[in-house]
Each structure stands twice: as C-alpha cells, then as structure tokens.
Amino acid sequence: MTPQPALKDHPTKPATAQNAEPWFVLGAGSMGCLWSVAMTQHLESVLAQPVTLLLRDDNAVNFYPGKVTVEHSSGTTDRSVELTLPAMSVNDTSHGAFKIKRLLVACKAQDADAALASVAAMLDEQAIIVLLQNGLKFQQQLSLARPPGTVFCLSTSFGAWQREPFHVVAAGGGESWLGHLREESSPILQRSQLQLLSELPDVAMNIRIDDDMQRRLWEKLAVNCAINGLTVIYNCRNGELLTRPAAREHCQRLCTEISTLMHGIALAPDMPELWQRVQQVAQATALNVSSTLQDVRRGKHTEIEHLNGYLIELADRHRLLCPLNQQVVAAVLESGRPL
Ligand code: NAP
C-alpha cells in the first residue's frame, strides 16, 4: 500500500447524525450482521437506506434471504430483531459514478485486505473506513496507507455467533472503543471521530472514544495471543486454561514470553502484568470457546497469523526469540490441516 497525501481541511460541520452518510458493511458474518442491525436502527430516522451489505459475489447476493436477524437474550428475556436490508455484490458494476463514503470492514483479519481491494473502485478517496478486526497488523497498514482522518478502529467486547447465514445470536455485551492509530492527532481527525461517533450506534453498542487506540489494540492482542492458541492445543474452554495444571503452567510461560517481547518491540506498550490480566479474562469468559478454537472445529481458517503470527514477525524484526509463540502458531496451523 502506498502512503496517501493528507486530506485538505474542510469547513466544519457540526458532528451530528443529521449529517450522516449511508454505510456499507463489508463482510456479513457474525459481527457484520450484528453491527448492520444496530447501525440501521441508529440511523433509520435520518437516512432512507442507512446500511447496505456488501457480499463477496453475485452467488452470495442470490443466496441472501433479504433480511438479517439478530437474537438477543438477556437473563430471562429473549428478543429477536429482523430487518430487511439491501445487499449488493462487491463486483456490481451497475453503480456507475456512485461512491462509498462510509465503510465498516467486518471480515476476518486475514480476509480484510483482499475484501477491501475488491471494493477499491467504489470507494470515495476520502471514504471513512472503520475496522472491526482483532489483531493490529491490518489496522496499522491501512492507517498508514490512507489519508489521515479516514481510518478508524473499533475494539469491542460485544460478541456474536452465526446460527445460520444472516441470522446471528448476540453473545454478551459490554463496551466498544473507537479510535485511530495515527500518532499525531489533529482538528480534522478529532472532527471526523466525533462525526463518526454520532453516526455509529453509540448507545446500543456502548461506544466511547479512546485516545490511545494503539495501546488498547495491543493489550487485546496480547491477551488473545495468550489464550486463543492454547485453547486449541488443549482443546478446551477459556476457563480450563486456569484449572488444568499443564495448561495453566503453559499459559503463564507464554505470558512471560509475550510480556518480554512487548518490552523489546518498539511502539508496543509494556505489559508486565499480562499473566494477571489473562487470568481475569479467562475467569470472566470461563465457559467461552475462543474464536480460534471455534474456527478450528468448523474447519475454517483461523486468525492465528494475525495474532501470535504477527508477534513472531515483530520479534524477528527486533531479533528477539519467541519459541512458545512459534509453537502455538505451528500447533494451530497443524490442527487446521485436513487429516
Ligand atoms: P465471520 O462470522 O467469519 O464473518 C466474516 C464475514 O466476512 C463472512 O461472512 C465472510 O464471508 C465475509 N468475507 C470474507 N471475505 C470477504 C470478501 N472478500 N468479500 C465480502 N465478504 C467477505 O467473522 P466474525 O466473527 O464476524 O469476525 C469478524 C472480525 O471481528 C474478526 O476479526 C474477529 O476477530 C472480530 N471480532 C469478532 C467477535 C465475535 O464475537 N464474532 C467479537 C469481537 C471481534 P464467507 O462466509 O463467504 O467467507
């Protein structure tokens, strides 16, 4: 990706959803469906067609039932929201001069670059792109490649899983954080961010702005690197990493290696307390099956190369050793291989 020139500053419009642009959601899986519904409900009073799904090809569009369903369950009450949403293929050439000005990328990290390339012709040069991926590598690359004020990241503890295509179950909630990875902030960046916040479902998804998104994504990456791969190696739920002695000892050693790597990697925050943080997360999510183990069980490509794989890349660049992370990546890739 080639770095782009900076955006010209524009006259200020107040940050309000009244100025919202239509959104396009690339990747209509668990998160894409969850966010599309929340975004539509947030913007339907100001836009006739707030959200359009971008599907990978005409086949996917033909298969699309025309609606997205999200099941919510909280305690004893269950409710289901079903919305009719338009969908189009990324290959649709009937759009003519139309340009996308708002894009939410909801693919897995390993698919995001190719998916984004497939809509490049439809993207306005100054389109605002919001990235939902776990990991950090793709976010960093895209933030450098596009003009300042156009790439933002969302880190969320809201989860979802697919009951069937375009029908998802919202699995737990919490908070979402919006921010950018540019080292320098500027009035234009802050204005874009506030405008974005007004267009996103800030109440439903409990979104707040984080002025240090780099740190937030790093901390989530470190925790994911310490938990996800090991749940594949031990074929266990998150909580069992603490209750099975061999897994616990392995997890603690992996945390030590990740903390040491972070200390040596330029731009990574120090995280000497990683093992404590990982124990809290594993306890709080004790019954969860990590996304990496879910992918392995379903025979899907995991995000491991964007988790521990990314740490290994950075370690190599800094001439640091990381045998435990290498072992985790190798084991996960091996589990995903057909027998
Ligand atoms: P997912 O259910 O696998 O959805 C990804 C979607 O992207 C799939 O529908 C996939 O279509 C589509 N896609 C892939 N390549 C595409 C392309 N070139 N063009 C159009 N669509 C394409 O994944 P997810 O669970 O929503 O996760 C998305 C991201 O959010 C991941 O980085 C994940 O780590 C992060 N996240 C997930 C959760 C969660 O609870 N699910 C929570 C926090 C963060 P196909 O099915 O046709 O491949």
Side-chain angles (χ1 to χ4, degrees):
M1 288 175 203
T2 15
Q4 302 282 315
L7 274 182
K8 282 234 173 72
D9 210 348
H10 292 294
T12 321
K13 283 192 203 164
T16 151
Q18 301 299 329
N19 298 328
E21 295 283 350
W23 278 83
F24 290 77
V25 173
L26 183 57
S30 309
M31 293 307 263
C33 288
L34 181 74
W35 281 79
S36 296
V37 165
M39 287 159 77
T40 302
Q41 291 180 318
H42 180 67
L43 292 174
E44 61 195 352
S45 62
V46 289
L47 288 174
Q49 196 165 290
V51 174
T52 300
L53 304 177
L54 284 171
L55 307 183
R56 65 163 72 243
D57 52 29
D58 294 341
N59 256 349
V61 174
N62 291 337
F63 180 70
Y64 174 55
K67 60 183 187 184
V68 170
T69 307
V70 177
E71 285 179 43
H72 293 270
S73 90
S74 57
T76 50
T77 49
D78 289 346
R79 91 193 149 83
S80 194
V81 182
E82 191 178 282
L83 292 185
T84 302
L85 297 184
M88 62 187 271
S89 156
V90 298
N91 305 318
D92 192 340
T93 47
S94 62
H95 50 78
F98 139 88
K99 290 284 180 191
I100 292 174
K101 294 193 172 155
R102 300 284 189 270
L103 183 72
L104 178 74
V105 184
C107 306
K108 288 271 172 75
Q110 66 273 12
D111 298 322
D113 203 8
L116 197 56
S118 71
V119 296
M122 281 192 262
L123 266 189
D124 187 276
E125 201 188 321
Q126 295 177 357
I128 290 188
I129 302 177
V130 176
L131 304 174
L132 257 175
Q133 285 61 46
N134 277 336
L136 191 54
K137 181 178 174 177
F138 178 64
Q139 291 89 322
Q140 283 175 330
Q141 284 176 340
L142 195 71
S143 300
L144 283 177
R146 291 194 61 91
T150 62
V151 178
F152 292 86
C153 306
L154 264 175
S155 175
T156 181
S157 58
F158 282 83
W161 54 273
Q162 259 180 303
R163 195 179 285 293
E164 53 191 66
F166 309 105
H167 182 149
V168 303
V169 180
E175 54 190 21
S176 308
W177 294 92
L178 176 71
H180 62 84
L181 296 182
R182 287 271 170 176
E183 269 176 52
E184 75 292 356
S185 196
S186 65
I188 191 169
L189 244 172
Q190 285 167 7
R191 249 193 337 270
S192 289
Q193 197 161 253
L194 283 176
Q195 178 61 34
L196 243 187
L197 190 62
S198 77
E199 295 183 56
L200 291 170
D202 52 341
V203 175
M205 304 306 275
N206 194 12
I207 308 174
R208 278 167 285 166
I209 285 177
D210 190 336
D211 290 328
D212 193 354
M213 202 63 191
Q214 182 95 250
R215 168 176 272 277
R216 184 168 296 276
L217 291 184
W218 255 110
E219 290 180 355
K220 190 166 184 193
L221 174 72
V223 170
N224 284 337
C225 286
I227 291 180
N228 289 30
L230 287 189
T231 63
V232 174
I233 292 177
Y234 291 93
N235 190 21
C236 68
R237 292 177 186 267
N238 293 355
E240 290 171 79
L241 291 181
L242 303 180
T243 56
R244 292 193 195 182
R248 183 184 174 91
E249 188 263 342
H250 197 165
C251 189
Q252 187 167 6
R253 281 193 294 124
L254 183 58
C255 285
T256 304
E257 182 173 293
I258 296 169
S259 296
T260 308
L261 288 176
M262 287 174 71
H263 183 67
I265 292 172
L267 295 182
D270 260 340
M271 229 180 143
E273 76 298 354
L274 179 60
W275 168 233
Q276 281 72 29
R277 180 78 70 88
V278 164
Q279 289 176 83
Q280 288 162 4
V281 173
Q283 256 154 19
T285 61
L287 295 179
N288 291 10
V289 175
S290 77
S291 56
T292 309
L293 181 53
Q294 284 181 41
D295 286 340
V296 166
R297 286 181 177 170
R298 288 192 203 123
K300 289 179 132 189
H301 192 157
T302 72
E303 292 187 301
I304 201 73
E305 282 134 317
H306 283 259
L307 301 177
N308 306 71
Y310 183 48
L311 276 188
I312 295 171
E313 255 181 73
L314 294 176
D316 283 351
R317 252 184 256 161
H318 290 78
R319 297 175 189 276
L320 299 167
L321 294 177
C322 53
L324 294 178
N325 281 279
Q326 284 169 329
Q327 183 203 17
V328 165
V329 172
V332 173
L333 293 179
E334 186 57 33
S335 317
R337 243 171 236 138
L339 295 173

Short mmCIF file of all heavy atoms in Angstrom, two decimals, residues 26-32 54-56 106-109 111 115 132-134 156 158-160 162 220 300 303, ligand 1:
data_model
loop_
_atom_site.label_atom_id
_atom_site.label_comp_id
_atom_site.label_asym_id
_atom_site.label_seq_id
_atom_site.Cartn_x
_atom_site.Cartn_y
_atom_site.Cartn_z
N LEU A 26 -18.90 -4.46 4.86
CA LEU A 26 -18.16 -5.46 4.06
C LEU A 26 -17.90 -6.68 4.94
O LEU A 26 -17.12 -6.60 5.89
CB LEU A 26 -16.85 -4.82 3.60
CG LEU A 26 -15.92 -5.62 2.70
CD1 LEU A 26 -16.62 -6.07 1.43
CD2 LEU A 26 -14.69 -4.78 2.34
N GLY A 27 -18.57 -7.79 4.62
CA GLY A 27 -18.44 -9.00 5.45
C GLY A 27 -19.67 -9.15 6.32
O GLY A 27 -19.77 -8.54 7.38
N ALA A 28 -20.64 -9.93 5.82
CA ALA A 28 -21.91 -10.05 6.56
C ALA A 28 -21.93 -11.35 7.36
O ALA A 28 -22.82 -12.18 7.21
CB ALA A 28 -23.08 -9.98 5.58
N GLY A 29 -20.90 -11.52 8.21
CA GLY A 29 -20.87 -12.67 9.11
C GLY A 29 -21.44 -12.25 10.46
O GLY A 29 -22.35 -11.41 10.53
N SER A 30 -20.89 -12.83 11.53
CA SER A 30 -21.44 -12.57 12.87
C SER A 30 -21.42 -11.08 13.21
O SER A 30 -22.45 -10.49 13.55
CB SER A 30 -20.62 -13.32 13.92
OG SER A 30 -20.48 -14.66 13.56
N MET A 31 -20.25 -10.47 13.11
CA MET A 31 -20.16 -9.06 13.51
C MET A 31 -20.82 -8.15 12.49
O MET A 31 -21.47 -7.16 12.84
CB MET A 31 -18.69 -8.64 13.69
CG MET A 31 -18.01 -9.30 14.85
SD MET A 31 -18.93 -9.08 16.38
CE MET A 31 -18.11 -7.70 17.09
N GLY A 32 -20.67 -8.48 11.21
CA GLY A 32 -21.27 -7.65 10.17
C GLY A 32 -22.78 -7.56 10.36
O GLY A 32 -23.37 -6.47 10.26
N LEU A 54 -22.36 -5.56 1.75
CA LEU A 54 -21.53 -5.83 0.56
C LEU A 54 -21.11 -7.29 0.62
O LEU A 54 -20.33 -7.68 1.50
CB LEU A 54 -20.29 -4.94 0.59
CG LEU A 54 -20.49 -3.48 0.20
CD1 LEU A 54 -19.22 -2.69 0.49
CD2 LEU A 54 -20.87 -3.37 -1.26
N LEU A 55 -21.64 -8.09 -0.30
CA LEU A 55 -21.36 -9.53 -0.28
C LEU A 55 -20.31 -9.88 -1.33
O LEU A 55 -20.12 -9.13 -2.29
CB LEU A 55 -22.65 -10.31 -0.52
CG LEU A 55 -23.80 -9.93 0.44
CD1 LEU A 55 -25.02 -10.80 0.19
CD2 LEU A 55 -23.36 -10.04 1.90
N ARG A 56 -19.67 -11.03 -1.15
CA ARG A 56 -18.45 -11.32 -1.94
C ARG A 56 -18.69 -11.50 -3.43
O ARG A 56 -17.81 -11.23 -4.23
CB ARG A 56 -17.68 -12.49 -1.37
CG ARG A 56 -18.36 -13.81 -1.40
CD ARG A 56 -17.37 -14.97 -1.20
NE ARG A 56 -16.85 -15.11 0.15
CZ ARG A 56 -15.56 -14.99 0.45
NH1 ARG A 56 -14.70 -14.70 -0.49
NH2 ARG A 56 -15.15 -15.18 1.68
N ALA A 106 -15.97 -5.81 8.25
CA ALA A 106 -16.30 -6.79 9.30
C ALA A 106 -15.88 -8.20 8.89
O ALA A 106 -16.49 -9.18 9.32
CB ALA A 106 -17.80 -6.73 9.60
N CYS A 107 -14.83 -8.29 8.05
CA CYS A 107 -14.29 -9.61 7.67
C CYS A 107 -13.29 -10.04 8.74
O CYS A 107 -12.85 -9.23 9.55
CB CYS A 107 -13.53 -9.53 6.36
SG CYS A 107 -14.43 -8.82 5.03
N LYS A 108 -12.86 -11.29 8.66
CA LYS A 108 -11.75 -11.74 9.49
C LYS A 108 -10.47 -11.02 9.03
O LYS A 108 -10.36 -10.62 7.87
CB LYS A 108 -11.57 -13.25 9.32
CG LYS A 108 -12.69 -14.06 9.99
CD LYS A 108 -12.30 -14.34 11.41
CE LYS A 108 -13.40 -14.98 12.24
NZ LYS A 108 -13.64 -16.36 11.97
N ALA A 109 -9.50 -10.91 9.95
CA ALA A 109 -8.27 -10.15 9.65
C ALA A 109 -7.59 -10.63 8.38
O ALA A 109 -7.15 -9.82 7.55
CB ALA A 109 -7.31 -10.25 10.84
N ASP A 111 -8.81 -11.84 5.76
CA ASP A 111 -9.57 -11.58 4.52
C ASP A 111 -9.74 -10.09 4.24
O ASP A 111 -10.21 -9.71 3.16
CB ASP A 111 -10.99 -12.18 4.64
CG ASP A 111 -10.96 -13.69 4.81
OD1 ASP A 111 -10.10 -14.32 4.17
OD2 ASP A 111 -11.77 -14.22 5.59
N ALA A 115 -10.66 -8.19 0.67
CA ALA A 115 -12.04 -7.70 0.60
C ALA A 115 -12.06 -6.20 0.29
O ALA A 115 -12.83 -5.72 -0.54
CB ALA A 115 -12.77 -8.00 1.90
N LEU A 132 -13.10 -3.52 12.28
CA LEU A 132 -13.59 -4.24 13.48
C LEU A 132 -12.69 -5.42 13.86
O LEU A 132 -13.01 -6.15 14.79
CB LEU A 132 -14.97 -4.82 13.16
CG LEU A 132 -16.20 -4.12 13.71
CD1 LEU A 132 -17.45 -4.78 13.18
CD2 LEU A 132 -16.21 -4.13 15.23
N GLN A 133 -11.60 -5.62 13.11
CA GLN A 133 -10.81 -6.84 13.26
C GLN A 133 -10.13 -6.91 14.63
O GLN A 133 -9.76 -5.90 15.21
CB GLN A 133 -9.71 -6.90 12.18
CG GLN A 133 -10.21 -7.25 10.81
CD GLN A 133 -11.20 -6.23 10.27
OE1 GLN A 133 -10.97 -5.04 10.36
NE2 GLN A 133 -12.32 -6.70 9.75
N ASN A 134 -9.91 -8.15 15.08
CA ASN A 134 -8.97 -8.38 16.17
C ASN A 134 -7.58 -8.32 15.56
O ASN A 134 -7.42 -8.46 14.35
CB ASN A 134 -9.20 -9.75 16.80
CG ASN A 134 -10.32 -9.69 17.83
OD1 ASN A 134 -10.61 -8.63 18.38
ND2 ASN A 134 -10.94 -10.82 18.09
N THR A 156 -14.23 -4.09 20.51
CA THR A 156 -15.49 -4.27 21.22
C THR A 156 -15.52 -5.58 22.00
O THR A 156 -14.91 -6.57 21.57
CB THR A 156 -16.67 -4.25 20.21
OG1 THR A 156 -17.89 -4.41 20.92
CG2 THR A 156 -16.56 -5.33 19.16
N PHE A 158 -18.56 -6.69 22.64
CA PHE A 158 -19.82 -7.28 22.17
C PHE A 158 -19.45 -8.42 21.24
O PHE A 158 -18.60 -8.27 20.37
CB PHE A 158 -20.66 -6.26 21.39
CG PHE A 158 -21.39 -5.30 22.28
CD1 PHE A 158 -20.75 -4.17 22.78
CD2 PHE A 158 -22.72 -5.51 22.62
CE1 PHE A 158 -21.42 -3.28 23.61
CE2 PHE A 158 -23.39 -4.63 23.45
CZ PHE A 158 -22.73 -3.50 23.95
N GLY A 159 -20.10 -9.55 21.41
CA GLY A 159 -19.79 -10.69 20.56
C GLY A 159 -21.04 -11.20 19.87
O GLY A 159 -22.16 -10.80 20.20
N ALA A 160 -20.84 -12.08 18.89
CA ALA A 160 -21.98 -12.69 18.20
C ALA A 160 -21.52 -13.98 17.54
O ALA A 160 -20.34 -14.15 17.26
CB ALA A 160 -22.51 -11.73 17.13
N GLN A 162 -23.00 -17.09 14.54
CA GLN A 162 -24.00 -17.29 13.48
C GLN A 162 -24.81 -18.56 13.71
O GLN A 162 -24.23 -19.64 13.78
CB GLN A 162 -23.27 -17.43 12.14
CG GLN A 162 -23.29 -16.16 11.33
CD GLN A 162 -22.57 -16.33 10.02
OE1 GLN A 162 -21.40 -16.69 9.99
NE2 GLN A 162 -23.24 -16.05 8.93
N LYS A 220 -5.37 -6.01 23.83
CA LYS A 220 -6.29 -7.08 23.43
C LYS A 220 -5.52 -8.16 22.65
O LYS A 220 -5.75 -9.36 22.83
CB LYS A 220 -7.43 -6.50 22.57
CG LYS A 220 -8.53 -7.50 22.33
CD LYS A 220 -9.79 -6.86 21.78
CE LYS A 220 -10.89 -7.91 21.64
NZ LYS A 220 -12.02 -7.45 20.86
N LYS A 300 -12.47 -23.88 9.63
CA LYS A 300 -12.25 -22.58 8.98
C LYS A 300 -10.83 -22.09 9.24
O LYS A 300 -10.20 -22.48 10.22
CB LYS A 300 -13.25 -21.55 9.53
CG LYS A 300 -14.67 -21.79 9.07
CD LYS A 300 -15.57 -20.76 9.68
CE LYS A 300 -16.48 -20.11 8.69
NZ LYS A 300 -17.20 -18.96 9.23
N GLU A 303 -7.50 -16.82 12.69
CA GLU A 303 -6.78 -15.53 12.62
C GLU A 303 -5.38 -15.63 13.27
O GLU A 303 -4.76 -14.60 13.53
CB GLU A 303 -7.60 -14.44 13.33
CG GLU A 303 -8.89 -14.11 12.59
CD GLU A 303 -9.63 -12.91 13.18
OE1 GLU A 303 -9.98 -12.97 14.38
OE2 GLU A 303 -9.87 -11.93 12.46
P1 NAP B 1 -17.26 -14.20 10.39
O1 NAP B 1 -18.53 -14.56 11.09
O2 NAP B 1 -16.42 -15.27 9.79
O3 NAP B 1 -17.66 -13.12 9.28
C1 NAP B 1 -16.76 -12.68 8.31
C2 NAP B 1 -17.54 -12.44 7.05
O4 NAP B 1 -16.70 -11.82 6.09
C3 NAP B 1 -18.09 -13.73 6.42
O5 NAP B 1 -19.46 -13.55 6.12
C4 NAP B 1 -17.27 -13.84 5.14
O6 NAP B 1 -17.96 -14.45 4.08
C5 NAP B 1 -17.05 -12.38 4.83
N1 NAP B 1 -15.99 -12.17 3.85
C6 NAP B 1 -14.73 -12.70 3.84
N2 NAP B 1 -14.08 -12.28 2.74
C7 NAP B 1 -14.94 -11.47 2.05
C8 NAP B 1 -14.84 -10.76 0.83
N3 NAP B 1 -13.71 -10.79 0.11
N4 NAP B 1 -15.89 -10.03 0.43
C9 NAP B 1 -17.04 -10.00 1.14
N5 NAP B 1 -17.20 -10.68 2.32
C10 NAP B 1 -16.16 -11.41 2.76
O7 NAP B 1 -16.30 -13.38 11.37
P2 NAP B 1 -16.74 -12.52 12.66
O8 NAP B 1 -16.86 -13.44 13.82
O9 NAP B 1 -17.86 -11.63 12.31
O10 NAP B 1 -15.41 -11.68 12.91
C11 NAP B 1 -15.08 -10.53 12.14
C12 NAP B 1 -13.95 -9.79 12.86
O11 NAP B 1 -14.45 -9.29 14.10
C13 NAP B 1 -12.77 -10.70 13.22
O12 NAP B 1 -11.56 -10.02 13.07
C14 NAP B 1 -12.99 -11.03 14.69
O13 NAP B 1 -11.80 -11.30 15.38
C15 NAP B 1 -13.63 -9.72 15.17
N6 NAP B 1 -14.49 -9.91 16.37
C16 NAP B 1 -15.43 -10.89 16.38
C17 NAP B 1 -16.24 -11.02 17.51
C18 NAP B 1 -17.34 -12.06 17.56
O14 NAP B 1 -17.93 -12.26 18.63
N7 NAP B 1 -17.70 -12.72 16.48
C19 NAP B 1 -16.06 -10.16 18.61
C20 NAP B 1 -15.08 -9.17 18.54
C21 NAP B 1 -14.28 -9.04 17.41
P3 NAP B 1 -17.80 -16.04 3.84
O15 NAP B 1 -18.56 -16.69 4.94
O16 NAP B 1 -18.39 -16.18 2.48
O17 NAP B 1 -16.34 -16.32 3.90
#
